[in-house]
Amino acid sequence: MESSDGEAVDKRRVHLRPVTLRDPAPVLLHLLPCEVLVNRPAPVGLFFTPAIRQGPDGLEVSFRGRSLRGEEVVVPPGLVGYVMIEEKGEVLLGKQDFSEGMADDEQEERELVEPPEALERDFDRFIGATASFSSFTLWGLETIPGPDAKVRGALTWPSLAAAIHAQVPED
Amino acid sequence: MDLSELERDNTGRCRLNSPVPSVCCKEPCVLGVDEAGRGPVLGPMVYAICYCPLSRLADLEALKVADSKTLSESERDRLFAKMEEDGDFVGWALDVLSPNLISTSMLGRVKYNLNSLSHDTATGLVQYALDQGVKVAQVFVDTVGPPETYQERLQQRFPGVEVTVKAKADALYPVVSAASICAKVARDQAVKNWKFVEKLQDLDTDYGSGYPSDPKTKAWLREHVDPVFGFPQFVRFSWRTAQSILEKEAEDVTWEDSQTGDQEGLKRIKSYFSKGPRARLPHRYFQERGLESATIL
């Protein structure tokens, strides 16, 4: 069922700040076999990473008293993983991010560069990369996720997508 | 007691033992089994066996061992030291089950309850003594809950041994008292020197007795909730006290085997009779990989 809410969201325009893709710091990621029903920072380095052990059949840890088994998953060659965060608050409509690396006072004096299309409040949103990764740790509940893990399959999509959208020579 | 092996890694289980007195491999022995730290919501549970030749039982009694609950901490430490001195005829072994092992066992996909975990640990320790060549003739086990089925099971498992399972065996049989002292000394020391796996700073270790009924323990639990991770691994997540604090003070977590009720199923059955257009599902390729088009951000 399409809610009117959903439609309003669909109409929004999302802009990616290209400059943030240039050199984001690498980060360690963990994909857990559960959903924590909140979106917020968590003290992973205090509670989780120090508890990881190398067991006979892969990495071992526990979360909320449940046993997890994990393994490294590498992002396929030619691809890079990014952690994207939406820029919240009074976001600088019209103030595109072309000014990175400039001193603050310089930035303020600078004339704002208008992008090709006019930006609207509550319509245009911006996301930027805060970190990058070339692998992550995939965790399964009590057993190693293994080669059949959904996310491993998902990672095969980009190469398949490229193949099926490629130009096929005629004849 | 040297618990350095436990201190190196306290996320699993840890077996510790005295050297086996050579006389115990020659003469028929009596062996006692007891546990410490079954009830607390904090820290490990320790199972212990203690054994000596039947012919030396009077010497063990002469140490005035008694149910560890009736002794003060210093008396227990003193008696354990005496047993160590008598290492030429008294042997012991213990199995320390970390709170993390208890949590993950009890909260497994296939629930492994505390009774089964306890029975299997006790059985493992008796088997350990046999494997070491100890001539076990009689086994006395302290138990909570009905002793009959437990005794039957142990008797079946060790047919050559005379097994007695009894409530309050730790007060009735000196060899069980001795085992209870080993277990309690290890549990107290493990709790006192517990190395938190988590990198928590200025951790307050004033957690009272560790029993769920202790207001100090409850207060400590409430103060140490992390909204995402819950508690440090020192806490037994499977205890009702811990669970109810998490329900109130931490974020909800759903697992693939979480109970969702059968509402989803009901909806699907009803949909066969509805006239509206059925939602078009994406191709199986995408379903199997958990891929969906991103329509919202």
Side-chain angles (χ1 to χ4, degrees):
Chain A
M1 233 198 289
E2 285 282 304
S3 71
S4 54
D5 235 25
E7 272 168 51
V9 172
D10 284 352
K11 276 184 200 154
R12 285 176 160 199
R13 221 165 17 205
V14 176
H15 304 265
L16 171 64
R17 300 227 187 250
V19 69
T20 63
L21 300 180
R22 208 176 293 151
D23 206 14
V27 73
L28 293 173
L29 293 185
H30 299 277
L31 187 55
L32 301 192
C34 62
E35 220 175 318
V36 184
L37 303 175
V38 70
N39 195 3
R40 54 173 286 166
V44 180
L46 300 184
F47 277 85
F48 194 79
T49 29
I52 298 174
R53 300 281 180 275
Q54 180 68 54
D57 49 330
L59 300 169
E60 300 176 356
V61 80
S62 68
F63 178 70
R64 294 280 186 111
R66 304 205 71 180
S67 169
L68 308 182
R69 292 286 177 277
E71 56 188 349
E72 281 302 295
V73 173
V74 177
V75 173
L79 298 175
V80 177
Y82 287 111
V83 179
M84 299 285 187
I85 289 196
E86 186 182 353
E87 294 170 11
K88 290 272 179 192
E90 282 306 294
V91 201
L92 341 138
L93 284 183
K95 198 169 164 187
Q96 273 279 38
D97 206 356
F98 303 126
S99 49
E100 204 121 307
M102 284 185 165
D104 273 351
D105 49 354
E106 219 177 321
Q107 206 170 7
E108 266 165 56
E109 278 170 43
R110 220 168 133 268
E111 214 183 311
L112 296 178
V113 182
E114 279 294 325
E117 57 213 319
L119 298 174
E120 288 172 37
R121 190 178 298 276
D122 298 330
F123 182 74
D124 287 277
R125 302 196 295 170
F126 291 89
I127 58 171
T130 57
S132 69
F133 59 96
S134 55
S135 70
F136 57 93
T137 312
L138 177 63
W139 295 96
L141 180 57
E142 292 171 22
T143 47
I144 291 254
D148 296 333
K150 271 189 175 181
V151 68
R152 284 192 189 275
L155 288 171
T156 64
W157 170 238
S159 64
L160 179 63
I164 63 179
H165 290 106
Q167 283 288 338
V168 182
E170 278 176 52
D171 86 47
Chain B
M1 196 180 283
D2 179 18
L3 294 181
S4 53
E5 200 185 324
L6 173 73
E7 280 154 24
R8 251 198 314 282
D9 186 9
N10 59 26
T11 64
R13 68 197 304 162
C14 176
R15 167 79 51 83
L16 297 164
N17 55 272
S18 72
V20 177
S22 57
V23 65
C24 294
C25 300
K26 294 189 199 100
E27 286 186 38
C29 288
V30 55
L31 182 148
V33 184
D34 198 13
E35 129 288 312
R38 185 189 162 89
V41 61
L42 300 178
M45 175 167 78
V46 179
Y47 257 82
I49 55 168
C50 189
Y51 53 89
C52 74
L54 278 159
S55 62
R56 305 293 300 268
L57 194 54
D59 296 321
L60 183 66
E61 268 175 89
L63 296 180
K64 299 244 180 308
V65 288
D67 171 11
S68 69
K69 287 187 279 296
T70 65
L71 301 168
S72 71
E73 189 174 345
S74 61
E75 283 173 312
R76 287 192 298 262
D77 288 344
R78 186 182 56 82
L79 283 169
F80 181 71
K82 278 203 157 173
M83 283 160 52
E84 292 268 81
E85 281 169 30
D86 287 338
D88 58 324
F89 71 96
V90 180
W92 55 266
L94 27 102
D95 211 348
V96 183
L97 310 186
S98 71
N100 185 53
L101 181 98
I102 296 169
S103 304
T104 53
S105 300
M106 292 174 71
L107 299 175
R109 277 176 193 277
V110 180
K111 304 279 172 282
Y112 186 28
N113 68 38
L114 195 66
N115 270 344
S116 308
L117 183 60
S118 302
H119 292 177
D120 293 348
T121 304
T123 309
L125 280 167
V126 175
Q127 186 61 54
Y128 162 81
L130 291 169
D131 292 345
Q132 297 296 303
V134 176
K135 282 196 156 176
V136 182
Q138 299 176 359
V139 169
F140 293 93
V141 186
D142 187 47
T143 186
V144 285
E148 294 82 12
T149 46
Y150 189 13
Q151 173 160 328
E152 206 175 301
R153 200 161 354 138
L154 278 172
Q155 190 61 76
Q156 239 165 17
R157 171 72 198 266
F158 302 109
V161 176
E162 191 190 323
V163 180
T164 309
V165 177
K166 230 180 196 157
K168 306 225 182 345
D170 53 349
L172 296 170
Y173 307 102
V175 76
V176 183
S177 305
S180 81
I181 291 168
C182 293
K184 185 71 174 144
V185 167
R187 149 91 192 171
D188 284 351
Q189 196 179 321
V191 169
K192 196 187 276 175
N193 301 333
W194 191 259
K195 299 262 186 304
F196 281 77
V197 175
E198 297 78 13
K199 292 209 173 93
L200 303 172
Q201 274 168 2
D202 306 322
L203 201 84
D204 142 41
T205 51
D206 190 15
Y207 26 65
S209 65
Y211 278 90
S213 52
D214 186 340
K216 223 171 179 180
T217 300
K218 267 193 186 158
W220 187 89
L221 285 171
R222 267 197 211 95
E223 273 162 40
H224 291 81
V225 178
D226 177 82
V228 174
F229 292 97
F231 297 110
Q233 282 189 9
F234 184 56
V235 177
R236 301 181 190 172
F237 281 77
S238 44
W239 257 235
R240 193 184 300 274
T241 315
Q243 298 263 343
S244 63
I245 290 175
L246 287 186
E247 274 164 31
K248 276 187 230 109
E249 323 227 342
E251 305 296 350
D252 284 338
V253 173
T254 56
W255 299 84
E256 57 198 48
D257 61 349
S258 295
Q259 294 288 329
T260 51
D262 36 15
Q263 291 196 331
E264 218 176 299
L266 282 176
K267 213 190 277 170
R268 228 177 278 139
I269 291 165
K270 272 203 254 168
S271 72
Y272 284 106
F273 303 101
S274 74
K275 281 184 179 165
R278 218 145 334 132
R280 198 169 64 93
L281 289 171
H283 187 275
R284 218 179 67 189
Y285 176 90
F286 298 106
Q287 287 186 54
E288 283 170 355
R289 285 158 182 79
L291 288 166
E292 285 171 38
S293 312
T295 52
I296 53 164
L297 187 67

